[in-house]
Amino acid sequence: MSGIADLFLHLIFPATCPLCGKIASSCCVNCAEGLLSPNLPICIQCFGPYPCDKHSDSFPHYYGAAHEGQARKLVHLLKYGHDGAIGFSLGVALSFLLAETRADALVPIPLHMGSPRLFNQSKKIVKGLSCKLKIPLQDCLSWNVRVSPRAPKAAKDRDPLPENAFKMKYFPRGVKTAILCDDVCTTGATILKAASALREGGIQVVASLSFTLGQKGTYN
Ligand SMILES: [Zn+2]
Ligand SMILES: [Zn+2]
């Protein structure tokens, strides 16, 4: 967005960067980039190094930061503070992680059924990624089952996701490969179930991406 448009929006909806306090913008891309650490991709199945010796059918998961500190604060502002512009900045900031990855589509993890959220935070991130990487966004998945939001519970206390947790909402024409995107990845279970729904729809997931990586990765 141009500076003038930013300023105009600020007059209507005053916003400041939650990290540096600059007015007339939401989160600066520079500030979001400052939170990212140069993490190597991990195996989505075991969170070990990728390529993985144990899981030859796995795909790499890229992430920007551990789910703690300022990065966690930004995720919470995006999700619970309803500041969608943060998601776009995060997507732009994260795009360098996928610089070497080619795919036909970027697919966000959808909102849970009956979610009270005003928007899908993962889709906001994908919009930023899509703008930078020139890979189209395809919001082609939906939840197939009603499950309670997973964020606050410890991973070990969660019910396992059913095999058919997701379904295809539509079949994007000409799409053979995709990158799955979520705001936070904690166990990899959500991404793996989404990947199997896409696979059944004829789309191979070549990589996944989240802004932050939670417990399983943090403590391994
Ligand atoms: Zn800033
Ligand atoms: Zn593995």
Side-chain angles (χ1 to χ4, degrees), residues 16-200:
T16 54
C17 171
L19 298 177
C20 72
K22 191 177 115 188
I23 56 162
S25 74
S26 183
C27 179
C28 321
V29 171
N30 279 351
C31 287
E33 278 171 350
L35 295 178
L36 307 182
S37 31
N39 300 300
L40 291 171
I42 55 173
C43 166
I44 189 62
Q45 294 194 44
C46 67
F47 285 19
Y50 184 89
C52 178
D53 295 340
K54 285 172 265 171
H55 304 105
S56 56
D57 59 341
S58 194
F59 52 81
H61 179 79
Y62 295 85
Y63 64 101
H67 191 64
E68 59 191 24
Q70 293 283 62
R72 182 164 169 269
K73 177 182 159 188
L74 267 196
V75 170
H76 284 191
L77 277 172
L78 170 63
K79 267 170 135 154
Y80 309 118
H82 310 299
D83 189 348
I86 291 176
F88 189 88
S89 297
L90 285 178
V92 172
L94 287 164
S95 60
F96 81 95
L97 290 170
L98 297 174
E100 307 294 317
T101 310
R102 288 286 148 262
D104 300 327
L106 294 163
V107 179
I109 296 293
L111 279 184
H112 285 277
M113 275 175 164
S115 169
R117 303 241 166 89
L118 301 176
F119 56 79
N120 176 357
Q121 68 278 357
S122 300
K123 191 170 168 182
K124 296 282 181 190
I125 294 175
V126 172
K127 283 188 174 166
L129 283 167
S130 173
C131 183
K132 227 19 209 181
L133 297 169
K134 312 290 179 220
I135 300 176
L137 181 164
Q138 294 288 352
D139 191 9
C140 58
L141 285 178
S142 66
W143 283 88
N144 203 20
V145 290
R146 194 175 280 271
V147 287
S148 55
R150 299 162 69 74
K153 268 175 131 182
K156 64 179 168 40
D157 297 335
R158 288 175 183 162
D159 300 328
L161 279 176
E163 210 42 55
N164 63 341
F166 293 93
K167 64 180 176 195
M168 297 290 290
K169 262 194 311 202
Y170 65 92
F171 294 86
R173 188 184 292 197
V175 172
K176 297 267 175 274
T177 54
I179 300 166
L180 270 168
C181 303
D182 208 352
D183 53 346
V184 184
C185 175
T186 305
T187 65
T190 304
I191 284 173
L192 283 167
K193 292 294 188 294
S196 51
L198 287 171
R199 198 179 311 117
E200 284 192 14

